[in-house]
Amino acid sequence: MRARRRLVGWGLLLGAVLVVSGCAIGGDTAGEFPQSALDPQGPIARSQDRLWDLVFPIAVGVFILVQGAIIVAVVRFRDRGQTDPPKQVAGNTRLELIWTAIPALVLAVIAVPTIGGIFALAEDPGEEALQVRVIGKQFWWEFQYLGDEGQGVVTANELHIPVDRPVRLQMESLSPAIPDSYDEADPTGSRSDQSLAGVIHSFWVPSLAGKQDVIPGYERIMRLEAEEPGQRYPGQCAEFCGLAHAEMRFEVVTHTTEDFDGWLAAQSQPAGTDLEGLAAEGQELFGVHCVACHVIEGHPENNDQRVGPNLTHFASREVFAGGIFDNDDDETLAAWLRNPSEIKPGAQMPDLGLPDDQVDALVEYLQTLE
Amino acid sequence: MTTTQEQPTTGGSAFRRPKATTGFGSWFTTIDHKKIGILYFATAFLFFSLGGIEALLLRTQLSSPDMAFLTRDQYNQLFTMHGLTMIFFGVMPLGSAAFNYLLPLMIGARDVAFPRLNALSYWVFLFAGIFLYSSVLLGGAPDGGWFAYAPLNVLGGDPLGETLGFASEQSARMMFYSLGLQLAGIASLASAVNFIVTILNMRAPGMTLMRMPVFIWMTLVTSVLMLFAMPVIGVALWQLMFDIGYGANFFNPALGGDPVLWQHMFWLFGHPEVYIIILPAFGIISEVLPVFSRKPLFGYTAIVFSGIAIGFMGWGVWAHHMFAVGLGPVANAAFALSTMFIAVPTGIKIFNWLGTMWGGQIRFRTPMLFAIGMVAMFTIGGLSGVTHAIVPHNYQQTDTYYVVAHFHYVMFGGAVFGLMAGFYYWFPKVKGRMMDERLGKLHFWLMLVGFNLAFGPMHVLGLQGMPRRVATYPDGMGWNLWNLVATVGGYMIALGFLVFVINVLKSRKGGLPAGDDPWDARTLEWSTTSPPPVHNFNEVPVVRTRDDFWNRKYASGDPSRTPLRVPSGGSGEAGADAGDVAHDIHMPDPSYYPLVAAFGMPIMAYGVLFTPILIAVGGVITIAGLFGWALEPSAEEH
């Protein structure tokens, strides 16, 4: 009776673990789990997932073997009130050799594709790829589209990429408070040492690829590739980077090649010319309060400061402030302008103490920047 | 001992030497390894409870999306302190408590090699913990993670900086981290040296290395790991202190330092630390499983050598904590291989434990339940460890809750379950009373179920993309349910520990008398009385075989297998002479000096933070303590 109860206990435990792992390997999880690593949406994530699909069943097999042996042992060899001690067996060399050799062999089998995968993923996607410079700041991401085709486009918290073409991310972490030099010919060359006073971030879009740490003082290269156009894949900073670490999110937006070229062309145009009324008032206020840190191509007072995000086509983005707020939501945007760190603790943008009418004008202006 | 050498003329005569070995005051001066073991346990369990409360606060914050139970700042302090407390002030010293209490008893010795050093180790450990927690009152606890990655922790940015006289952008909170752990490291080093010397020099006659209990072997390997790992983190912490406090440039890239250097040094210590925490549990399990299966340990030699192999290889896998750092494919491939390779000796242990149970007569007493639970849970942790070694997928797993799940299955399912098995197993020896079996079993089942509810779902959460160390998460990611389940599991574990505390308080005085050998055990500590006398054994045992005590009880050639009389210590005829024996055996006297020497150390640490005068004051106290210690004879004639 006691043994049966125990058997039930272990059975329940085993069942629970299997159900849990069953959920984990469950196939199509898109939508329900938008940030799942087990639902690869591109060749890189898929190559990583394939190894998991190889190793996970082996792990489950060993799990069942060991837990099964425990259950059999406790049921079969439980104390039945014998007085004589059992046979005093001290070991069995052959058995021990077998259970040393077999795991070693299994691991050797796993090692081969693992090492192949490590070297394959480390290959530089090269010149053919779309070149994007990624800058991690506390607590948001900047994306600069490099080269002639990039046309100087800079976005924040949204990385737009074409499908079926590798993207070469050239990643750095810079100080949140120091303007980043804007020298396209040599983007890493002329920075002051102080701009290196950033912290470690980690760039992670589970649907498209595993993570890569972004470390101040180093440049890291990462490869990204997507297949399906018109998708928005969430990503998140994965290395603890301070107060708003949880709020350092972003999205990767996929386009067909033509769409992407169109998007890039539109983004390279200045925004917010010919404004009237409240929007024009906002533009003027922007010149007073915001240009010290933000750039809007097309703004008359633009002085190419690059501390905060480039806001040129702000209204064409869906998210802001580290990808945690909805752009369409004017009230949140207004709350942000009133005091950023109140709705995102740790945000580096200061409280400017703007009166409500100025906030409304700025919201109006920003929302015209399609 | 009747011939005591002439008293040297010492400065110590200014103080009255403490004589009492019982009573409240004696706890402050004791150098008896058993009392120090109890002090270690009580203190470590207190810190462990603090770490547990911190975990519950964290889990409450994460129980549902967009919670506002804690602020970001509080959350970061709590997860940092949870990690620090559990690693350095909870689980690791719980292992030390077991070493302290059991080591001399299990090798048939009267005490450790350096009893006063042992006391110093305890006091420094206690003061290090108090120092670290005093940060809460002085403006804020460390908030940069127990891993303290540079340059975040060099740059800091917390508001406390200015209060303590540091430039505001520098992190004074992390100075508590650096100094607190440097102190804790002194305690670990002192006890590591002590244990190694004790094991190598003070075994009972006939106890060759290959006749030592496995627990002693694991103590030895753990102590060697500590001896070499603590200096590594000590150097790194020293560098961090100079970076934060004095603008040195070891780790800050803005000044030419290298943040990756910190990671190498931290994990070069941090990975062996994992084995420092788990090996004691391996040792405990290796004692408990044979006793409750009534069989010798299966494959003693294999278990001992796999333990040594794990100790060695633990040094060669540190960069597997850094696969996403971008060390390059060659380094990543090498560390993937070494990480897979270390699974082999670990597997050997698990299969040998199974072999121990196989063919036995398994008695399901509480210690055995925890031991079996440890094998089952640790297996899961080991398997998820192997999946970390498949580096391309590790790029997905690392820094997610999958890792949190993995190491809790190792640290909690492995180490804490193992320590609990040991506690229930040796409690009768320590107190002479049995623990309540019903409460013990309730504790076990609450903990087993709660543990799996709390940490099982984290595997899923991590693979579904939930990163670690996030104070909150948005709705709509599919993480809500499993986070809630994990929180419920966390509270269940807490309930289990409450039952444990009740059981201890109840059984301490009210438990059934245990007798000398309640489990029909195999090792020497069960051959003396429960609780053991100050001098441990009336006669030093002579060891002829592995499991010598068992073999003496069950003469192997005797077909009737009648247990023989327990020959040494204990009740029986020897008991009549016990008083005389105690008089003849001369043990070292209690001493104030370990406490005095330890007391100066946190004062010096405060001096680094507040004013150099305190460095001098603390230094004088510590040096005075050490002088008094050096000049004081280890024992005086009574």
Side-chain angles (χ1 to χ4, degrees), chain A residues 37 77 79 211 218 220 247, chain B residues 72 325 362 395-396 398 463:
Chain A
F77 301 108
D79 181 29
K211 48 191 85 62
Y218 290 95
R220 292 290 186 238
E247 281 89 11
Chain B
R72 302 289 176 272
V325 165
I362 301 173
Y395 298 148
Q396 292 279 15
T398 184
L463 294 171

Side-chain angles (χ1 to χ4, degrees), chain A residues 220-244:
Chain A
R220 292 290 186 238
I221 304 298
M222 184 179 173
R223 182 186 171 134
L224 214 59
E225 210 172 331
E227 293 164 336
E228 205 179 326
Q231 299 294 314
R232 301 184 74 88
Y233 298 113
Q236 186 155 8
C237 173
E239 184 62 82
F240 178 65
C241 56
L243 217 49

Side-chain angles (χ1 to χ4, degrees), chain B residues 62-247:
Chain B
L62 292 174
S63 59
S64 58
D66 299 321
M67 272 286 265
F69 174 67
L70 299 171
T71 66
R72 302 289 176 272
D73 187 30
Q74 288 166 339
Y75 186 91
N76 293 348
Q77 291 179 51
L78 281 168
F79 88 72
T80 302
M81 291 302 281
H82 169 69
L84 277 179
T85 305
M86 286 307 195
I87 299 273
F88 292 99
F89 299 95
V91 183
M92 190 163 101
L94 282 178
S96 291
F99 297 160
N100 265 299
Y101 196 94
L102 295 166
L103 171 53
L105 285 168
M106 287 179 90
I107 61 172
R110 300 220 185 279
D111 205 336
V112 291
F114 310 116
R116 287 182 295 182
L117 187 66
N118 217 20
L120 176 80
S121 160
Y122 167 73
W123 292 113
V124 175
F125 153 68
L126 174 69
F127 290 142
I130 293 173
F131 173 81
L132 185 65
Y133 269 90
S134 72
S135 64
V136 177
L137 303 174
L138 295 170
D143 56 356
W146 89 281
F147 48 95
Y149 272 14
L152 177 65
N153 291 294
V154 182
L155 304 168
D158 69 77
L160 181 67
E162 275 172 295
T163 348
L164 293 189
F166 294 99
S168 62
E169 75 271 18
Q170 291 165 334
S171 174
R173 288 177 178 181
M174 291 309 282
M175 281 296 259
F176 278 102
Y177 166 97
S178 173
L179 293 161
L181 294 194
Q182 288 182 54
L183 287 180
I186 295 171
S188 299
L189 273 176
S191 53
V193 170
N194 207 345
F195 295 151
I196 292 169
V197 175
T198 305
I199 293 170
L200 293 182
N201 283 338
M202 297 177 69
R203 280 164 288 134
M207 183 179 274
T208 61
L209 287 178
M210 291 312 281
R211 285 180 192 162
M212 287 197 312
V214 172
F215 179 74
I216 300 303
W217 261 112
M218 294 306 123
T219 309
L220 181 61
V221 177
T222 306
S223 302
V224 172
L225 283 177
M226 278 203 243
L227 187 64
F228 291 103
M230 289 302 159
V232 179
I233 189 73
V235 170
L237 290 166
W238 191 251
Q239 292 176 320
L240 182 69
M241 180 177 89
F242 273 98
D243 266 19
I244 297 173
Y246 310 103

Side-chain angles (χ1 to χ4, degrees), chain B residues 594-634:
Chain B
L595 177 58
V596 173
F599 186 67
M601 295 184 194
I603 297 179
M604 282 192 270
Y606 284 118
V608 175
L609 284 167
F610 296 106
T611 160
I613 298 163
L614 285 178
I615 302 182
V617 172
V620 167
I621 294 175
T622 293
I623 291 168
L626 292 175
F627 258 95
W629 176 339
L631 299 175
E632 174 188 65
S634 73

Side-chain angles (χ1 to χ4, degrees), chain B residues 9 36 45 68 132 202 215 224 262 286 308-309 332 399 405-406 444 451 492 494 530 556-557 587 609 613 634:
Chain B
T9 34
I36 291 172
F45 192 77
L132 185 65
M202 297 177 69
F215 179 74
V224 172
W262 168 264
S286 303
I308 297 171
N332 279 4
D399 278 322
H406 158 74
F444 170 72
F451 168 78
M492 210 161 163
S530 306
S556 29
M587 298 301 289
L609 284 167
I613 298 163
S634 73

Side-chain angles (χ1 to χ4, degrees), chain A residues 34 158 160 230-234 251-254 316-319:
Chain A
E158 276 187 5
H160 291 252
Q231 299 294 314
R232 301 184 74 88
Y233 298 113
E251 290 186 346
V252 174
V253 187
T254 60
S316 73
R317 299 175 199 160
E318 290 194 7
V319 288

